[in-house]
Amino acid sequence: MLPLLRTPVATPHTLEEALSLLAEPGARILAGGTDILPNLKRGLGSPSTLVSLHAVDALRGVSVGDAGLSIGAGTTLTQVATSGDVKRMAPSLAEAAESVASPQIRNMATLGGNVCLDTRCRWVNQSDFWRGALGGCLKSAGMNPEASFAQAGVCHVVPGGKRCVAAISADTVPVLIALDATARVASASGTHRLPLAELYVNDGVQNLALEPGEMLLGVDVPTHAGARRERYVKWRVRGSIDFPLVSAALRFDLDAGALTQARLVVGVLGARPKQVAVQKVALGRPLDQALATELAELAHRQCKPLENVPYEAGHRRHMLRVLVRRAIEALADEA
Ligand SMILES: Cc1cc2nc3c(=O)[nH]c(=O)nc-3n(C[C@H](O)[C@H](O)[C@H](O)COP(=O)(O)OP(=O)(O)OC[C@H]3O[C@@H](n4cnc5c(N)ncnc54)[C@H](O)[C@@H]3O)c2cc1C
Ligand code: SF4
């Protein structure tokens, strides 16, 4: 049993209080705690304070306005997965939320925690003892000041690599990007919005474009007129409880049977999701078997998984092709 370090936990009741606590150096957010607490037990991080969002009611809930869906960062994944509005307006988001972990975890886990989930790597999501036997790496160095690793500057996935390629493994993120969602971000000095795709940078040590003291308030998914087909698919070892080993979000908008918009966003490659360039091949065509095969080939050609999470990279790449083809075939049947 790994013990949790003694870290003070602050429980603000308002957003203003939470932002002011978060402005303190070394403070980190504790949302559902389903990822940050296991990580802290493994010596991944040593925050000065954990700022719990549990009592900040303003961060919870799903609402519908003229612009579309608004979901607060503190909304649980169970609420996202079961919300009638999410199922109606963004069914692939409900599907992705439903696919996270297990029912008990989804009851605690929040959408904000999923969107801001730390990257994962088979060499880092281990105990300090395990990591110490091999030496540290670009990501684990500095996460636990008490561990003194011999090889702090190396990457075990890309030997000689200067940038960490730990994988973004959150299920809702590829979907939100495929749906053109925007993020609402706040700090003690103000609020701003950015396209969700721009929230992620290509560095697995810290893949979020958030400044210290900033937090995610929520995400907005725009409304759309006309016919749309969307789906989220993930490959994992245990269907009942597991992180994705490769995943894909698909979205197709149609007018009179021809595609006017197409998105294919792939997760668990590197530190940020990859948007496969599908528009040139897809636009103007019907959603059919031929397109399913072509887009699956495109995904296979453009996406190259690394040995950063369990299972061979080559097999994950093969599974991506299978998942994308089957998903489009199923959507074509619906259409
Ligand atoms: C057994 C197991 C299986 C799992 N399977 C999956 C899976 O299949 N798919 C998946 O995606 N995840 C999985 N997870 C990880 C995790 O449960 C989910 O990603 C969950 O959504 C995290 O949300 P949380 O509220 O618990 O986040 P926390 O653990 O509280 O926080 C996660 C990170 O986000 C930051 N954070 C939280 N809220 C905000 C905010 N509003 N603004 C800025 N930063 C914030 C925290 O500081 C922390 O760094 C699994 C976890 C376990 C233990
Ligand atoms: S990708 Fe390399 S640097 Fe990043 S966590 Fe894995 S081993 Fe460490």
Side-chain angles (χ1 to χ4, degrees):
M1 174 95 119
L2 293 168
L4 190 58
L5 291 179
R6 287 189 171 275
T7 306
V9 179
T11 310
H13 285 78
T14 65
L15 197 52
E16 292 68 29
E17 256 183 277
L19 289 169
S20 130
L21 285 159
L22 197 60
E24 295 298 319
R28 278 186 70 186
I29 292 176
L30 173 72
T34 61
D35 195 66
I36 192 171
L37 294 180
N39 283 347
L40 292 180
K41 285 181 177 180
R42 293 182 180 132
L44 295 170
S46 52
S48 57
T49 312
L50 287 170
V51 180
S52 167
L53 300 182
H54 185 69
V56 185
D57 291 342
L59 288 171
R60 276 195 288 274
V62 177
S63 59
V64 181
D66 290 343
L69 264 179
S70 256
I71 310 177
T75 311
T76 67
L77 293 180
T78 298
Q79 287 167 330
V80 174
T82 56
S83 154
D85 291 328
V86 177
K87 284 183 176 176
R88 183 170 48 85
M89 295 174 70
S92 58
L93 178 58
E95 207 175 355
E98 173 90 51
S99 78
V100 173
S102 64
Q104 293 90 336
I105 290 176
R106 292 194 293 274
N107 287 342
M108 291 298 294
T110 63
L111 184 66
N114 198 247
V115 168
C116 299
L117 187 72
D118 199 4
T119 54
R120 295 181 64 78
C121 175
R122 65 203 301 177
W123 302 96
V124 148
N125 293 94
Q126 309 285 354
S127 67
D128 247 356
F129 178 76
W130 193 101
R131 288 192 299 272
L134 289 159
C137 68
L138 294 167
K139 185 170 170 76
S140 64
M143 292 187 97
N144 180 0
E146 283 166 28
S148 57
F149 294 127
Q151 309 175 45
V154 306
C155 173
H156 305 292
V157 176
V158 184
K162 293 282 172 266
R163 201 173 48 201
C164 169
V165 291
I168 182 153
S169 306
D171 282 307
T172 63
V173 172
V175 170
L176 287 167
I177 293 175
L179 297 178
D180 294 335
T182 51
R184 278 176 280 123
V185 171
S187 68
S189 52
T191 310
H192 69 277
R193 299 165 67 104
L194 74 165
L196 197 88
E198 292 174 20
L199 189 66
Y200 303 97
V201 295
N202 212 1
D203 183 354
V205 170
Q206 169 52 279
N207 74 334
L208 291 177
L210 289 179
E211 298 295 328
E214 284 190 331
M215 77 152 85
L216 181 77
L217 295 184
V219 295
D220 298 329
V221 182
T223 41
H224 66 93
R228 173 173 285 182
R229 299 281 174 272
E230 55 184 82
R231 180 144 293 185
Y232 176 67
V233 280
K234 74 191 255 193
W235 182 60
R236 55 183 158 177
V237 179
R238 298 166 296 182
S240 55
I241 177 169
D242 249 332
F243 282 96
L245 297 173
V246 68
S247 65
L250 301 108
R251 165 199 150 194
F252 300 102
D253 294 350
L254 295 128
D255 185 16
L259 287 168
T260 56
Q261 199 57 260
R263 293 265 198 288
L264 169 49
V265 185
V266 177
V268 210
L269 298 174
R272 64 178 172 193
K274 179 169 176 66
Q275 302 202 43
V276 179
V278 292
Q279 305 266 357
K280 218 166 124 187
V281 172
L283 296 196
R285 292 181 51 180
L287 200 54
D288 59 11
Q289 171 71 55
L291 191 70
T293 309
E294 279 179 59
L295 294 193
E297 283 307 321
L298 261 191
H300 186 260
R301 213 174 308 141
Q302 292 181 29
C303 300
K304 299 190 174 66
L306 299 163
E307 300 289 349
N308 46 5
V309 296
Y311 277 80
E312 298 78 11
H315 188 61
R316 290 168 53 222
R317 192 172 177 207
H318 166 72
M319 286 308 296
L320 173 65
R321 177 165 51 192
V322 173
L323 285 180
V324 170
R325 181 178 48 75
R326 286 185 186 163
I328 301 175
E329 284 170 356
L331 290 174
D333 283 349
E334 274 177 32

